[in-house]
Amino acid sequence: MTEPRECRRCHKPVVASAADYGVFERMHYVCFHFEFEHQGDPDVECLAGGCPAAGISLPSRHSH
């Protein structure tokens, strides 16, 4: 077994998407997405299919 490859964006081991390491420019899929595909606020879902921000709902910290 080989050592996990390092993500060039976050420097953590790439394990789950290791088979696609080259496709995702030596990054995790999420790191690749936010580096090259996502526009604007990272917490707001973008139009790219499979956006990791899909379904995020951030509760307001302000009381109404």
Side-chain angles (χ1 to χ4, degrees):
M1 186 170 183
T2 61
E3 289 291 316
R5 295 172 174 173
E6 182 179 286
C7 176
R8 69 181 186 137
R9 186 170 190 253
C10 73
H11 306 289
K12 294 179 182 175
V14 176
V15 178
S17 60
D20 295 315
Y21 186 70
V23 173
F24 296 133
E25 304 283 337
R26 301 185 335 266
M27 293 181 237
H28 298 100
Y29 164 70
V30 171
C31 291
F32 175 85
H33 175 76
F34 286 115
E35 187 71 27
F36 295 108
E37 299 176 329
H38 199 93
Q39 301 289 318
D41 187 334
D43 289 332
V44 176
E45 182 178 0
C46 72
L47 299 176
C51 180
I56 291 177
S57 177
L58 299 174
S60 174
R61 297 201 184 270
H62 304 284
S63 59
H64 294 271

Coordinates of all heavy atoms in Angstrom, one line a residue:
M1 N 0.9 -1.2 0.0 CA 0.0 0.0 0.0 C 0.9 1.2 0.0 O 1.9 1.3 0.7 CB -0.9 0.0 1.2 CG -1.9 1.1 1.3 SD -3.1 0.8 2.6 CE -4.2 2.1 2.3
T2 N 0.5 2.2 -0.8 CA 1.3 3.4 -0.9 C 0.8 4.5 0.1 O -0.4 4.5 0.5 CB 1.3 4.0 -2.3 OG1 -0.1 4.3 -2.7 CG2 1.8 3.0 -3.3
E3 N 1.6 5.4 0.4 CA 1.2 6.6 1.2 C 0.2 7.4 0.5 O 0.3 7.6 -0.7 CB 2.5 7.4 1.5 CG 3.4 6.8 2.5 CD 2.9 6.6 3.9 OE1 2.3 7.6 4.4 OE2 3.1 5.5 4.4
P4 N -0.8 8.0 1.3 CA -1.7 8.9 0.6 C -1.0 10.1 0.0 O 0.0 10.5 0.5 CB -2.6 9.4 1.8 CG -2.4 8.4 2.9 CD -1.0 7.9 2.7
R5 N -1.5 10.5 -1.1 CA -1.0 11.7 -1.8 C -1.4 13.0 -1.1 O -2.5 13.0 -0.5 CB -1.4 11.7 -3.2 CG -0.8 10.5 -4.0 CD -1.4 10.4 -5.3 NE -0.7 9.4 -6.1 CZ -1.1 8.9 -7.2 NH1 -2.1 9.5 -7.8 NH2 -0.4 8.0 -7.8
E6 N -0.7 14.0 -1.1 CA -1.0 15.3 -0.5 C -1.7 16.2 -1.4 O -1.3 16.4 -2.5 CB 0.3 15.9 0.1 CG 0.1 17.2 0.8 CD 1.3 17.8 1.3 OE1 1.9 17.3 2.3 OE2 1.8 18.8 0.8
C7 N -2.8 16.8 -0.9 CA -3.5 17.9 -1.6 C -2.6 19.1 -1.7 O -2.1 19.6 -0.7 CB -4.8 18.2 -0.9 SG -5.8 19.5 -1.6
R8 N -2.5 19.6 -2.9 CA -1.7 20.8 -3.0 C -2.3 22.1 -2.6 O -1.7 23.1 -2.5 CB -1.2 21.0 -4.5 CG -2.3 21.3 -5.5 CD -1.7 21.4 -6.9 NE -2.7 21.9 -7.8 CZ -2.5 22.8 -8.7 NH1 -1.3 23.3 -8.9 NH2 -3.5 23.1 -9.5
R9 N -3.6 22.0 -2.2 CA -4.3 23.2 -1.7 C -4.4 23.3 -0.2 O -4.0 24.2 0.4 CB -5.8 23.3 -2.3 CG -6.5 24.6 -1.9 CD -7.8 24.7 -2.7 NE -8.4 25.9 -2.5 CZ -9.5 26.2 -1.8 NH1 -10.1 25.2 -1.1 NH2 -10.0 27.4 -1.7
C10 N -4.8 22.1 0.4 CA -4.9 22.1 1.9 C -3.8 21.3 2.6 O -3.7 21.4 3.8 CB -6.3 21.6 2.3 SG -6.5 19.8 2.1
H11 N -3.0 20.6 1.8 CA -1.9 19.8 2.3 C -2.3 18.7 3.2 O -1.4 18.1 3.9 CB -0.9 20.8 3.0 CG -0.5 21.9 2.1 ND1 0.3 21.7 1.0 CD2 -0.8 23.2 2.2 CE1 0.5 22.9 0.4 NE2 -0.2 23.8 1.1
K12 N -3.5 18.2 3.1 CA -4.0 17.0 3.9 C -3.9 15.8 2.9 O -4.0 16.0 1.7 CB -5.4 17.2 4.4 CG -5.4 18.3 5.5 CD -6.8 18.5 6.0 CE -6.8 19.6 7.1 NZ -8.1 19.9 7.5
P13 N -3.9 14.6 3.4 CA -3.9 13.4 2.6 C -5.1 13.3 1.7 O -6.2 13.5 2.2 CB -3.8 12.3 3.6 CG -3.3 12.9 4.8 CD -3.8 14.3 4.9
V14 N -5.0 12.9 0.5 CA -6.1 12.7 -0.4 C -6.3 11.1 -0.4 O -5.5 10.4 -0.8 CB -5.8 13.1 -1.9 CG1 -6.9 12.7 -2.8 CG2 -5.5 14.6 -1.9
V15 N -7.4 10.7 0.2 CA -7.7 9.3 0.3 C -9.0 8.9 -0.5 O -8.9 8.1 -1.4 CB -7.9 8.9 1.8 CG1 -8.3 7.5 2.0 CG2 -6.7 9.3 2.6
A16 N -10.1 9.5 -0.2 CA -11.4 9.1 -0.8 C -11.4 9.3 -2.3 O -11.9 8.5 -3.1 CB -12.6 9.9 -0.2
S17 N -10.7 10.4 -2.8 CA -10.7 10.7 -4.2 C -9.3 10.4 -4.8 O -9.0 10.9 -5.9 CB -11.1 12.1 -4.5 OG -10.3 13.0 -3.9
A18 N -8.6 9.5 -4.2 CA -7.2 9.2 -4.7 C -7.2 8.7 -6.1 O -6.2 9.0 -6.8 CB -6.6 8.2 -3.7
A19 N -8.2 8.0 -6.6 CA -8.2 7.5 -7.9 C -8.3 8.6 -8.9 O -7.8 8.5 -10.1 CB -9.3 6.5 -8.1
D20 N -8.8 9.8 -8.5 CA -8.9 10.9 -9.4 C -8.0 12.0 -9.1 O -8.2 13.2 -9.5 CB -10.4 11.4 -9.3 CG -11.4 10.4 -9.9 OD1 -11.1 9.9 -10.9 OD2 -12.4 10.2 -9.2
Y21 N -6.9 11.7 -8.4 CA -5.9 12.7 -7.9 C -5.4 13.5 -9.1 O -5.3 14.8 -9.0 CB -4.7 11.9 -7.3 CG -3.7 12.8 -6.6 CD1 -3.9 13.5 -5.5 CD2 -2.4 12.8 -7.2 CE1 -3.0 14.2 -4.8 CE2 -1.4 13.6 -6.5 CZ -1.7 14.3 -5.4 OH -0.7 15.0 -4.8
G22 N -5.1 12.9 -10.2 CA -4.6 13.7 -11.4 C -5.7 14.5 -12.0 O -5.4 15.6 -12.5
V23 N -6.9 14.0 -12.1 CA -8.0 14.7 -12.7 C -8.3 16.0 -11.9 O -8.6 17.0 -12.5 CB -9.3 13.8 -12.7 CG1 -10.5 14.5 -13.2 CG2 -9.0 12.6 -13.6
F24 N -8.2 15.9 -10.6 CA -8.5 17.0 -9.8 C -7.2 17.8 -9.4 O -7.2 18.5 -8.4 CB -9.2 16.6 -8.5 CG -10.6 16.0 -8.7 CD1 -10.9 14.8 -8.1 CD2 -11.5 16.6 -9.6 CE1 -12.2 14.3 -8.3 CE2 -12.7 16.1 -9.8 CZ -13.1 14.9 -9.2
E25 N -6.3 17.8 -10.3 CA -5.1 18.7 -10.2 C -4.3 18.5 -8.9 O -3.9 19.4 -8.3 CB -5.4 20.1 -10.4 CG -6.1 20.5 -11.7 CD -5.2 20.5 -12.9 OE1 -4.0 20.7 -12.7 OE2 -5.7 20.3 -14.0
R26 N -4.2 17.2 -8.5 CA -3.5 16.8 -7.2 C -4.2 17.5 -6.0 O -3.5 17.9 -5.1 CB -2.0 17.2 -7.3 CG -1.3 16.5 -8.5 CD 0.1 16.7 -8.6 NE 0.7 17.9 -8.0 CZ 0.9 19.0 -8.6 NH1 0.6 19.2 -9.9 NH2 1.5 20.0 -8.0
M27 N -5.5 17.4 -6.0 CA -6.3 18.0 -4.8 C -7.4 17.1 -4.5 O -7.8 16.2 -5.3 CB -6.9 19.4 -5.2 CG -5.9 20.5 -5.4 SD -6.8 22.0 -5.8 CE -6.0 22.4 -7.3
H28 N -8.1 17.3 -3.3 CA -9.4 16.7 -3.0 C -10.4 17.3 -4.0 O -10.2 18.4 -4.5 CB -9.8 17.1 -1.6 CG -8.9 16.7 -0.5 ND1 -8.0 17.5 0.1 CD2 -8.8 15.5 0.1 CE1 -7.4 16.8 1.0 NE2 -7.8 15.6 1.0
Y29 N -11.5 16.6 -4.2 CA -12.5 17.1 -5.1 C -13.0 18.5 -4.6 O -13.2 19.4 -5.3 CB -13.7 16.2 -5.3 CG -14.9 16.9 -5.8 CD1 -14.9 17.3 -7.1 CD2 -16.0 17.2 -5.0 CE1 -15.9 18.0 -7.7 CE2 -17.0 18.0 -5.5 CZ -17.0 18.4 -6.8 OH -18.0 19.1 -7.3
V30 N -13.2 18.5 -3.3 CA -13.8 19.8 -2.7 C -12.8 20.9 -2.9 O -13.2 22.0 -3.2 CB -14.1 19.6 -1.2 CG1 -14.4 20.9 -0.5 CG2 -15.3 18.6 -1.0
C31 N -11.5 20.7 -2.6 CA -10.5 21.7 -2.8 C -10.5 22.2 -4.3 O -10.4 23.3 -4.6 CB -9.1 21.2 -2.4 SG -9.0 21.0 -0.6
F32 N -10.5 21.2 -5.2 CA -10.5 21.5 -6.6 C -11.7 22.3 -7.0 O -11.6 23.4 -7.7 CB -10.5 20.2 -7.5 CG -10.7 20.4 -8.9 CD1 -9.5 20.6 -9.7 CD2 -11.9 20.4 -9.6 CE1 -9.7 20.9 -11.1 CE2 -12.0 20.6 -10.9 CZ -10.9 20.8 -11.7
H33 N -12.9 21.9 -6.5 CA -14.1 22.7 -6.8 C -14.0 24.1 -6.4 O -14.3 25.1 -7.1 CB -15.3 22.0 -6.1 CG -16.6 22.8 -6.3 ND1 -17.3 22.8 -7.4 CD2 -17.2 23.6 -5.4 CE1 -18.4 23.6 -7.3 NE2 -18.3 24.1 -6.1
F34 N -13.6 24.4 -5.1 CA -13.5 25.7 -4.6 C -12.4 26.5 -5.3 O -12.4 27.8 -5.3 CB -13.5 25.8 -3.1 CG -14.8 25.4 -2.5 CD1 -15.0 24.3 -1.7 CD2 -15.9 26.3 -2.7 CE1 -16.2 24.0 -1.1 CE2 -17.1 26.0 -2.1 CZ -17.3 24.8 -1.3
E35 N -11.4 25.9 -5.7 CA -10.2 26.5 -6.4 C -10.6 27.0 -7.8 O -10.2 28.1 -8.2 CB -9.0 25.6 -6.4 CG -7.7 26.2 -6.9 CD -7.2 27.3 -5.9 OE1 -7.4 27.2 -4.7 OE2 -6.5 28.2 -6.4
F36 N -11.2 26.1 -8.6 CA -11.4 26.3 -10.0 C -12.9 26.5 -10.5 O -13.1 27.1 -11.5 CB -10.8 25.1 -10.8 CG -9.3 25.1 -10.6 CD1 -8.8 24.0 -9.9 CD2 -8.5 26.0 -11.2 CE1 -7.4 23.9 -9.8 CE2 -7.1 25.9 -11.1 CZ -6.5 24.9 -10.3
E37 N -13.8 25.9 -9.8 CA -15.2 25.9 -10.3 C -16.1 26.9 -9.6 O -17.0 27.5 -10.2 CB -15.8 24.5 -10.2 CG -15.1 23.5 -11.0 CD -15.6 22.1 -10.8 OE1 -16.1 21.8 -9.7 OE2 -15.5 21.3 -11.8
H38 N -16.0 27.1 -8.3 CA -16.9 27.9 -7.5 C -16.7 29.4 -7.6 O -15.5 29.8 -7.5 CB -16.8 27.4 -6.0 CG -18.0 27.8 -5.2 ND1 -19.0 26.9 -5.0 CD2 -18.3 28.9 -4.5 CE1 -19.9 27.5 -4.2 NE2 -19.5 28.7 -3.9
Q39 N -17.7 30.1 -7.8 CA -17.7 31.6 -7.9 C -18.4 32.1 -6.7 O -19.4 31.6 -6.3 CB -18.3 32.1 -9.1 CG -17.7 31.5 -10.4 CD -16.4 32.1 -10.7 OE1 -16.1 33.3 -10.5 NE2 -15.5 31.3 -11.1
G40 N -17.9 33.2 -6.1 CA -18.6 33.9 -5.0 C -18.4 33.2 -3.6 O -17.5 32.4 -3.4
D41 N -19.4 33.4 -2.8 CA -19.4 33.0 -1.4 C -19.3 31.4 -1.3 O -20.2 30.8 -1.9 CB -20.7 33.5 -0.7 CG -20.7 33.2 0.8 OD1 -20.1 32.2 1.3 OD2 -21.4 33.9 1.5
P42 N -18.3 30.9 -0.7 CA -18.2 29.4 -0.6 C -19.4 28.7 0.1 O -19.6 27.5 -0.1 CB -16.9 29.2 0.2 CG -16.2 30.4 0.2 CD -17.2 31.5 0.0
D43 N -20.1 29.5 0.9 CA -21.3 28.9 1.6 C -22.6 28.9 0.8 O -23.6 28.4 1.2 CB -21.5 29.6 2.9 CG -20.5 29.3 4.0 OD1 -19.9 28.2 3.9 OD2 -20.2 30.2 4.8
V44 N -22.5 29.5 -0.4 CA -23.7 29.6 -1.3 C -23.5 28.6 -2.4 O -22.5 28.7 -3.1 CB -23.9 31.0 -1.8 CG1 -25.1 31.1 -2.7 CG2 -24.1 32.0 -0.6
E45 N -24.5 27.7 -2.6 CA -24.4 26.7 -3.7 C -24.2 27.4 -5.1 O -24.9 28.4 -5.4 CB -25.7 25.9 -3.7 CG -25.6 24.8 -4.8 CD -26.9 23.9 -4.7 OE1 -27.8 24.2 -3.9 OE2 -27.0 23.0 -5.6
C46 N -23.3 26.9 -5.8 CA -23.1 27.5 -7.2 C -23.8 26.6 -8.2 O -24.4 25.6 -7.9 CB -21.6 27.6 -7.5 SG -20.8 26.0 -7.8
L47 N -23.7 26.9 -9.5 CA -24.4 26.2 -10.5 C -23.6 24.9 -11.0 O -24.2 24.2 -11.8 CB -24.6 27.1 -11.7 CG -25.5 28.3 -11.4 CD1 -25.6 29.2 -12.6 CD2 -26.9 27.9 -10.9
A48 N -22.4 24.7 -10.5 CA -21.6 23.5 -10.9 C -22.3 22.3 -10.3 O -22.7 22.3 -9.1 CB -20.2 23.7 -10.5
G49 N -22.5 21.3 -11.0 CA -23.1 20.1 -10.5 C -22.2 19.5 -9.4 O -21.0 19.5 -9.4
G50 N -22.9 19.0 -8.3 CA -22.1 18.4 -7.2 C -21.5 19.4 -6.3 O -20.6 19.1 -5.6
C51 N -22.0 20.7 -6.3 CA -21.4 21.7 -5.4 C -21.5 21.2 -3.9 O -22.5 20.9 -3.4 CB -22.1 23.0 -5.6 SG -21.4 24.3 -4.5
P52 N -20.3 21.2 -3.2 CA -20.3 20.8 -1.8 C -21.1 21.7 -0.9 O -21.5 21.3 0.2 CB -18.8 20.9 -1.4 CG -18.1 20.8 -2.7 CD -19.0 21.5 -3.7
A53 N -21.5 22.9 -1.4 CA -22.3 23.8 -0.5 C -23.8 23.6 -0.7 O -24.6 24.2 0.0 CB -22.0 25.3 -0.9
A54 N -24.1 22.6 -1.5 CA -25.6 22.3 -1.7 C -26.2 21.9 -0.4 O -25.6 21.1 0.3 CB -25.7 21.2 -2.7
G55 N -27.3 22.5 -0.1 CA -28.0 22.2 1.1 C -27.5 22.8 2.4 O -28.1 22.6 3.5
I56 N -26.5 23.6 2.3 CA -26.0 24.4 3.5 C -27.1 25.4 3.9 O -27.5 26.2 3.0 CB -24.7 25.0 3.3 CG1 -23.6 24.0 3.2 CG2 -24.4 26.0 4.5 CD1 -22.2 24.5 3.0
S57 N -27.5 25.4 5.1 CA -28.4 26.5 5.6 C -27.7 27.0 6.8 O -27.6 26.3 7.8 CB -29.7 25.9 5.9 OG -30.6 26.8 6.5
L58 N -27.3 28.3 6.8 CA -26.6 28.9 7.9 C -27.6 29.7 8.7 O -28.2 30.7 8.2 CB -25.5 29.8 7.4 CG -24.4 29.1 6.6 CD1 -23.4 30.1 6.1 CD2 -23.7 28.1 7.5
P59 N -27.9 29.3 10.0 CA -28.8 30.1 10.8 C -28.2 31.4 11.1 O -27.0 31.6 11.3 CB -29.0 29.2 12.0 CG -27.7 28.4 12.1 CD -27.3 28.2 10.7
S60 N -29.1 32.4 11.2 CA -28.6 33.8 11.5 C -28.3 33.8 13.0 O -28.9 33.2 13.8 CB -29.8 34.7 11.3 OG -29.4 36.0 11.7
R61 N -27.2 34.5 13.3 CA -26.8 34.7 14.7 C -27.5 35.9 15.3 O -27.3 36.2 16.5 CB -25.3 34.8 14.8 CG -24.6 33.6 14.3 CD -23.2 33.5 14.8 NE -22.5 32.4 14.3 CZ -22.4 31.2 14.9 NH1 -23.1 30.9 15.9 NH2 -21.7 30.2 14.3
H62 N -28.2 36.6 14.6 CA -28.9 37.8 15.1 C -30.3 37.4 15.5 O -31.0 36.7 14.8 CB -29.0 38.9 14.0 CG -27.7 39.3 13.5 ND1 -26.8 40.1 14.2 CD2 -27.1 39.0 12.3 CE1 -25.7 40.3 13.4 NE2 -25.8 39.6 12.3
S63 N -30.7 37.9 16.7 CA -32.1 37.6 17.1 C -33.0 38.6 16.4 O -32.7 39.7 16.3 CB -32.2 37.6 18.6 OG -31.8 38.9 19.1
H64 N -34.2 38.1 16.1 CA -35.2 39.0 15.4 C -36.3 39.4 16.3 O -36.8 38.7 17.1 CB -35.8 38.3 14.2 CG -34.7 38.1 13.1 ND1 -34.4 39.0 12.2 CD2 -33.9 37.0 12.9 CE1 -33.5 38.5 11.4 NE2 -33.1 37.4 11.8

